[in-house]
Amino acid sequence: MPLYLIPGNHDIATSGHLQPYIANAGQPCYSFDRDRTHFVVLDASRWESSERLPSEQLDWLAADLKRAAKARYTFVFYHRPYWDGTTNAGKPDTLHKLFLRHGVDAVFAGHYHRYSTGTYDGIKYTVVGSSGGGAEPGPTGILYHHLLVEADSSGITMTP
């Protein structure tokens, strides 16, 4: 089974960590297609908010999502759940605006070491809980887990 890595704040903590990450894990920002589904991995390892993401990455993301407009589903993955302090709080979010414009279906992140999920403007946002680092159960009671995501003609289902 292929393994697709998503860099986190412990992987690329500073710009000095970028080249070793690339040498050992590959590009931190990339996309691919499988079975009419488009997958996007962003590098949110060093920035505290979506407003601080480099313009080059945002421009790449907009162009990538535009090219993938005919995908049945589009999933985006990045480490820090920026939407928690913005979209979830009714505040503007740079990424959420791009996701709405380009038909993103679901967004996944980690960082908080607890599971949570919500839907904003039709986009499913999910923070996947810890799979090894310290964790607290949070409101769902779920501690260590993985997430099964199924996407077919009837829609997207997620089962922690």
Side-chain angles (χ1 to χ4, degrees), residues 15-151:
S15 57
H17 295 132
L18 180 59
Q19 287 308 317
Y21 181 88
I22 291 170
N24 290 287
Q27 290 298 320
C29 189
Y30 59 95
S31 67
F32 61 93
D33 297 297
R34 293 285 187 273
D35 299 325
R36 296 182 51 209
T37 300
H38 188 65
F39 297 86
V40 180
V41 173
L42 299 177
D43 178 7
S45 60
R46 292 160 279 163
W47 301 279
E48 296 294 326
S49 73
S50 63
E51 304 304 316
R52 294 185 176 189
L53 288 172
S55 59
E56 298 84 13
Q57 185 171 189
L58 295 173
D59 292 345
W60 173 86
L61 174 62
D64 182 75
L65 292 173
K66 186 175 181 180
R67 280 191 301 273
K70 293 185 180 185
R72 176 185 282 173
Y73 295 112
T74 300
F75 296 153
V76 178
F77 301 83
Y78 53 93
H79 185 70
R80 297 176 192 266
Y82 295 138
W83 68 85
D84 190 52
T86 56
T87 306
N88 185 36
K91 297 176 185 174
D93 183 279
T94 299
L95 290 175
H96 184 67
K97 289 177 194 172
L98 275 172
F99 299 160
L100 278 173
R101 185 176 316 129
H102 295 286
V104 168
D105 298 287
V107 179
F108 301 90
H111 192 64
Y112 287 163
H113 296 240
R114 69 179 188 273
Y115 174 78
S116 65
T117 189
T119 301
Y120 306 99
D121 300 317
I123 302 172
K124 296 174 186 271
Y125 283 88
T126 301
V127 179
V128 179
S130 185
S131 61
E136 294 184 21
T140 62
I142 297 173
L143 192 58
Y144 297 108
H145 76 284
H146 64 275
L147 184 67
L148 174 64
V149 179
E150 297 178 280

